[in-house]
Amino acid sequence: MRRTITALAVAMLVLALGATAAFADGSQTQAPTAKQKTGILKAWSDGDGVPKAKQKCYTVALSKSNPVWAGVAFNTKATGCGAMAFDGTAILWGSGSMWSKFMEGSSVDPATCTAMAAALGASAWVDLAGYAGGMGCQNID
């Protein structure tokens, strides 16, 4: 009996850790190609583009389940990027080098968060949860 309880407790712990890892920021994303990253950053910066040397200052990821959706955030680990720092995030849509801004900000109201979740669909919303969270969208289901 004691072994069964211990085994169940260990199994529950492993499942809980696995679920946490699956929903962690970036766990369900994939890296964009260089062409995609350049296009995403160009759309995010309203057409100005980001010089290749400064692209390290941004974290860009694609939804793994629906790669027409991408997220952009400031790369807090990159050196020499302080002047570009921002505390919000952005979600964009597109493909190849052609991307459009869907939403960006750091304190989006709950109604907008709910609408964004519906537009992205459940899988992409979960994939890009870290980017949505950077906009202030939390506990939206």
Side-chain angles (χ1 to χ4, degrees), residues 76-93:
T76 58
K77 296 175 183 156
T79 57
C81 297
M84 301 176 148
F86 60 97
D87 67 350
T89 57
I91 295 178
L92 299 94
W93 63 274

Side-chain angles (χ1 to χ4, degrees), residues 2 51 64-65 80 110 118 121 123 130 132-133 135:
R2 193 169 258 214
K64 194 174 257 185
S65 63
S123 296
M135 288 186 225

Side-chain angles (χ1 to χ4, degrees), residues 6-7 17 40 56 91 118 134 137:
T6 303
L17 290 173
I40 290 165
K56 69 177 183 174
I91 295 178
C137 298

Side-chain angles (χ1 to χ4, degrees), residues 15-100:
L15 287 173
L17 290 173
T20 301
F23 290 110
D25 180 24
S27 66
Q28 296 298 314
T29 60
Q30 60 190 20
T33 65
K35 181 179 175 181
Q36 288 171 319
K37 185 172 184 176
T38 298
I40 290 165
L41 289 174
K42 183 176 181 181
W44 172 79
S45 64
D46 297 321
D48 295 334
V50 174
K52 292 271 187 207
K54 291 295 181 179
Q55 286 191 8
K56 69 177 183 174
C57 300
Y58 304 93
T59 300
V60 179
L62 301 175
S63 164
K64 194 174 257 185
S65 63
N66 191 351
V68 301
W69 294 104
V72 174
F74 180 69
N75 182 357
T76 58
K77 296 175 183 156
T79 57
C81 297
M84 301 176 148
F86 60 97
D87 67 350
T89 57
I91 295 178
L92 299 94
W93 63 274
S95 65
S97 62
M98 301 301 297
W99 291 83
S100 298

Side-chain angles (χ1 to χ4, degrees), residues 89-138:
T89 57
I91 295 178
L92 299 94
W93 63 274
S95 65
S97 62
M98 301 301 297
W99 291 83
S100 298
K101 228 184 294 186
F102 177 69
M103 187 69 190
E104 67 181 351
S106 60
S107 59
V108 175
D109 66 82
T112 302
C113 292
T114 302
M116 284 181 8
L120 267 73
S123 296
W125 182 256
V126 169
D127 291 351
L128 298 173
Y131 295 92
M135 288 186 225
C137 298
Q138 299 168 354

